[in-house]
Amino acid sequence: MPKITFHLNGKVTEASWEPGMHFLEVLREECGIVSAKDGCAPEGTCGCCLILIDGSPALSCLRKPEQMQGHDVVTLEGVPDERRRVLSEAFVLEGGVQCGFCIPGILIRASTLIEQGRTDDRRAVAKALDGHLCRCTGYGRIIDAIQTAGEACKNGRKSRDGISSSVKSSG
């Protein structure tokens, strides 16, 4: 079987792949990544497999393994712990999660929006979610959660109390 070498969540990783596989399969089956989900592979329409490739959001089901040689890949497991914690608390607080299947891809998108300082504009957040399909909850709560997390990160509030007080002070 052919092999590729790339950086996965900050570590040099070598993975085998078979012809016909997409990169999402390599991540899940060869690398043990569980956050990126297969919701429509290889259609690229649901956003459940969103990852960062060289810092940019990309759908892993649309990438061939051989295209990933030498690239830097970040999955939800590789997002800094503090950012993941703030995001998870905001999603729980705002009721933005139900089954959780689509959430890892949405959290990758949210983390990118926070990093770019683009969570204040509700329309921009909604537009960024265009490539994500959530069947369980309304996008309003997901947008609320992303904005809450963005506000908490911008204000340096890291604890659950900080996120709660951030919502109380703005609402």
Side-chain angles (χ1 to χ4, degrees):
M1 284 200 300
K3 293 183 182 231
I4 54 170
T5 303
F6 59 100
H7 287 87
L8 176 60
N9 299 326
K11 297 178 183 169
V12 175
T13 302
E14 184 177 85
S16 300
W17 57 278
E18 294 179 24
M21 287 178 85
H22 43 73
F23 190 59
L24 173 60
E25 292 173 299
V26 173
L27 288 173
R28 291 186 61 81
E29 295 171 21
E30 301 298 322
C31 301
I33 296 297
V34 296
S35 64
K37 304 289 193 270
D38 184 349
C40 69
E43 300 299 318
T45 60
C46 75
C48 292
C49 69
L50 193 74
I51 60 173
L52 298 176
I53 300 174
D54 299 329
S56 297
L59 299 170
S60 58
C61 77
L62 296 180
R63 299 294 187 279
K64 294 179 181 179
E66 60 268 32
Q67 294 174 311
M68 302 311 301
Q69 177 68 34
H71 287 278
D72 182 40
V73 174
V74 176
T75 66
L76 187 57
E77 290 88 343
V79 170
D81 290 342
E82 184 60 30
R83 168 104 22 104
R84 278 199 330 256
R85 193 179 60 66
V86 168
L87 282 164
S88 66
E89 289 177 6
F91 270 73
V92 168
L93 181 70
E94 298 293 353
V97 64
Q98 287 189 16
C99 85
F101 198 80
C102 66
I103 292 301
I106 290 173
L107 291 178
I108 287 288
R109 178 79 62 195
S111 180
T112 301
L113 291 170
I114 289 169
E115 193 169 301
Q116 296 170 347
R118 295 180 42 217
T119 59
D120 289 342
D121 182 349
R122 190 168 182 84
R123 280 192 229 171
V125 173
K127 179 72 176 152
L129 293 174
D130 277 353
H132 296 274
L133 179 60
C134 176
R135 295 175 175 106
C136 294
T137 191
Y139 288 94
R141 290 182 175 193
I142 291 171
I143 294 167
D144 291 345
I146 292 170
Q147 290 193 291
T148 296
E151 182 179 335
C153 288
K154 182 171 68 175
N155 294 330
R157 295 179 174 141
K158 296 180 178 179
S159 69
R160 175 175 289 280
D161 292 337
I163 289 179
S164 296
S165 65
S166 154
V167 172
K168 289 176 188 171
S169 66
S170 67

